[in-house]
Amino acid sequence: MAREIVYRFTGNTTVCKNEVNTAAFLTYVQGFLEDICADKYEPTLVADPDDHKPFSFSCVKLTQYENGGIIETSFSISKIIDSYYEKRSIREHINQRSNALCKLIKNNIDRCEKKLVLHRENLEKSKNRDKYKIYGDLITANIYQLSQGMKEFETENYYSENLENIKIPLKEEYTPSQNAQRYYKLYSKAKMTEMFSAKQIEEAQTELYYLESVLSSLEKIETPAELSEIKDELADGGYVPKVKSKLKKYQKKTEPMKFTSSDGFEILVGRNNKQNDELTIKMAYSTDIWLHTKNIPGSHTIIRTLGGKEVPDRTIVEAAQIAAFYSRAQNSSKVPVDYTAVKNVKKPNGAKPGMVIYDHYNTIYVEPKCE
């Protein structure tokens, strides 16, 4: 409260005594205390804007945190205190359970990244496979000039535009035919490696994007129900064991987050990947506007257009800012956000939760913001 008095008087919480007018300050303090004696209270709770965990409360409004915290006020200090300890307890419980899932996801992200490095290296090595086929063809074309025991063979390379000579290494213990077959096998193996590595890279990139999206959802959960839904999603994907619980059928599904634009349009935001699918594929109308950060994991965002009503640019910007805020690019300054009509968004068969494809879109760059 002492810090609050100093902040209200100076606009700063780190002011030295010799920097203020003592008489004016004492007059201000007197007025502050008179308000309290007159029962002029405004009980306030302050929570961290990142994890929503309460970190301070008081019987007066804590204006010192207006730019760095979520402010909740009430007519009752008892209600504020109850809310403080209840929310801290819930937040600590969520953090405890979500930390284990975060660690699991990060381990799988590391696995995907190592997999990508390995297969990209293999893919790079396989790019030279054509030389093995050329070696095999040239040995076969000149097979009667070769004999077992030769270490190398030099001949004109008719695959080269300039018909330059080429030296081909040979295995001394192999016959000419065996040397040719050896190079054909190396060519086939490199070709198969290329196809396999390309497929593995595509799968790893898709899984990595998905895991990043789950991690983004985990970092923004506010209730045990949200945590439970993400755990169910991971269980369906085989990342954690499935747990049967009789209580699950009584557990109420969470709803998408709701916002209202300055122009009065409703904006809906998915809390996790399964809810993203539900929101985009089932809840949204074909004429609604769909938004998502470009090539960045994040929440699906929908602007309700009420049957195709024209959406002002200001609403699109505000929705894009919200979409950027609920993404992995939350802490960036300029984030690209794609937007299009819901009818242009499709979910491929077999795609992971939250994964869609879309076309006929526009891109806008915004600063992440959620208000």
Side-chain angles (χ1 to χ4, degrees), residues 184-202:
Y184 285 137
K185 286 178 181 178
L186 287 173
Y187 170 76
S188 296
K189 183 179 179 181
K191 190 174 182 179
M192 292 298 294
T193 296
E194 180 187 45
M195 294 171 59
F196 178 75
S197 293
K199 184 179 179 182
Q200 291 296 310
I201 288 171
E202 182 181 358

Side-chain angles (χ1 to χ4, degrees), residues 70-273:
I70 300 171
I71 308 296
E72 176 188 330
T73 59
S74 173
F75 65 91
S76 168
I77 185 63
S78 296
K79 185 177 179 181
I80 286 292
I81 293 172
D82 286 344
S83 179
Y84 175 83
Y85 286 105
E86 181 183 7
K87 287 182 177 180
R88 280 186 68 89
S89 177
I90 291 173
R91 188 70 251 174
E92 287 168 1
H93 174 68
I94 289 173
N95 287 346
Q96 191 176 32
R97 292 182 61 194
S98 66
N99 284 343
L101 289 182
C102 282
K103 185 177 179 180
L104 172 79
I105 293 170
K106 288 176 180 177
N107 286 341
N108 278 280
I109 287 174
D110 288 342
R111 173 181 56 78
C112 286
E113 289 175 341
K114 289 176 181 177
K115 185 177 178 181
L116 282 171
V117 170
L118 173 65
H119 288 292
R120 281 170 178 159
E121 288 176 353
N122 290 338
L123 192 63
E124 189 64 29
K125 291 176 183 177
S126 68
K127 286 182 179 179
N128 296 321
R129 69 183 184 280
D130 286 341
K131 76 175 182 180
Y132 297 133
K133 186 176 185 302
I134 292 173
Y135 286 176
D137 289 347
L138 292 177
I139 291 173
T140 302
N142 297 277
I143 198 164
Y144 295 108
Q145 300 179 39
L146 306 178
S147 60
Q148 189 171 354
M150 295 177 65
K151 292 183 178 180
E152 65 178 15
F153 167 65
E154 184 173 352
T155 185
E156 187 177 73
N157 182 10
Y158 50 78
Y159 285 100
S160 171
E161 292 182 2
N162 301 322
L163 297 177
E164 298 172 341
N165 278 9
I166 186 173
K167 288 185 179 181
I168 303 173
L170 300 173
K171 291 279 188 180
E172 296 178 65
E173 66 272 22
Y174 286 2
T175 65
S177 177
Q178 287 174 330
N179 270 297
Q181 290 303 312
R182 171 175 170 265
Y183 280 120
Y184 285 137
K185 286 178 181 178
L186 287 173
Y187 170 76
S188 296
K189 183 179 179 181
K191 190 174 182 179
M192 292 298 294
T193 296
E194 180 187 45
M195 294 171 59
F196 178 75
S197 293
K199 184 179 179 182
Q200 291 296 310
I201 288 171
E202 182 181 358
E203 290 178 356
Q205 286 175 331
T206 300
E207 185 180 10
L208 185 60
Y209 185 93
Y210 168 72
L211 290 169
E212 290 280 1
S213 70
V214 176
L215 192 59
S216 179
S217 298
L218 258 180
E219 290 171 349
K220 295 178 178 65
I221 57 175
E222 298 179 10
T223 66
E226 292 176 62
L227 180 64
S228 180
E229 287 178 353
I230 292 177
K231 192 170 183 179
D232 288 344
E233 178 187 331
L234 290 171
D236 290 342
Y239 293 97
V240 297
K242 287 189 176 183
V243 179
K244 292 183 179 180
S245 173
K246 293 181 180 180
L247 297 176
K248 278 191 177 181
K249 62 181 179 180
Y250 302 108
Q251 182 176 301
K252 187 178 179 181
K253 288 176 63 176
T254 61
E255 297 290 332
M257 291 175 279
K258 295 182 180 181
F259 303 88
T260 303
S261 76
S262 299
D263 303 299
F265 285 81
E266 184 178 50
I267 300 171
L268 304 177
V269 182
R271 296 177 185 273
N272 52 61
N273 283 313

